[in-house]
Amino acid sequence: MRQFLLDRLDQGARILGSYEAWAGQSEEVFDGTSAGPLDQAPASPVWYAFGKTIRPERIAKFNLFTANDFVRVLAGLKDALAAGGFNLPPDRRLTAEEIAALKTRVENPASEADRTLLRNVRSWWESNWNLKWAVEKNTQAYNELAASVGGSTFYAGRLGVSNCYIMSAPVTRKDVDAFMAAAKEGSGAADREAPVAMFARVTAERDRTGRITALYASGPLFVNPYALIYDGIKNNVAPAERWRLEGWDQTRAEQLDGRWVWLEGRTVLVRDDKGNVVDRYLALGKNLTQDEFNSILDLNRELIGDGGI
């Protein structure tokens, strides 16, 4: 049966047997007794996720249903820290000493402020992340997982109940760093209305008093997880566009102006009564400056262990 199933990878199979799962344990076993081909199997779309490889057979991750999820979830940790009284600096990356001190506050709270911080961080974790056992497709997938142990990783494969089938771990932290270093601004914007994510340089227009009147984002744009992982970070061929941002406030706009920013939102087309596009903008959602983004990944690496946070 083993060889039959190996020969049917990415194809349909009908398997008879017994299934067991143990309450309170991340373990499940299906004991197959017989198997045959199934030509009209239910579609099994590729699943994408981002997380930390704890060891090749164990990952902590959150799912990427849209490209937005990447920015939305990571920015949620910034919000959780702020609600607990710790504001990430938007203009510099936390030092290793600062990361270590923040980790200590979360893992060994010594005051009510620390306990509030821990509650907020844990709530963010429980709302977005989970732990999975990983079953690799082949030696290459195993080697990619092994090379990513201890760091931030994107995953592609199929999702199970308490485990996942890893076809590839194509992008790691060093690839993200290389992508950010090479990113370029763009011009123009495609006529689309969709949830999107961007890594963009944000610039402001100001009036005579110096008050920001308009905010723009220019850089690689991603319409789905595949575009983010492969067209963007892995191959750096994602389209670079320029969009006017709406939905910001003066305080945050001052922090974003002139910096490269990970952002997510929705592109909006404004039409006249004849259906002609007369304006377009990106409704801004969550966002992280490049320094905030790096601090978040540094903190994730330190906080997430075999049992989560």
Side-chain angles (χ1 to χ4, degrees), residues 162-174:
S162 64
N163 56 26
C164 52
Y165 175 60
I166 302 294
M167 297 161 58
S168 178
V171 170
T172 61
R173 178 76 178 272
K174 65 180 178 61

Side-chain angles (χ1 to χ4, degrees), residues 135-154:
V135 179
E136 70 279 0
K137 177 181 180 179
N138 50 30
T139 301
Q140 179 179 337
Y142 177 85
N143 289 339
E144 289 174 350
L145 285 170
S148 69
V149 168
S152 300
T153 313
F154 286 88

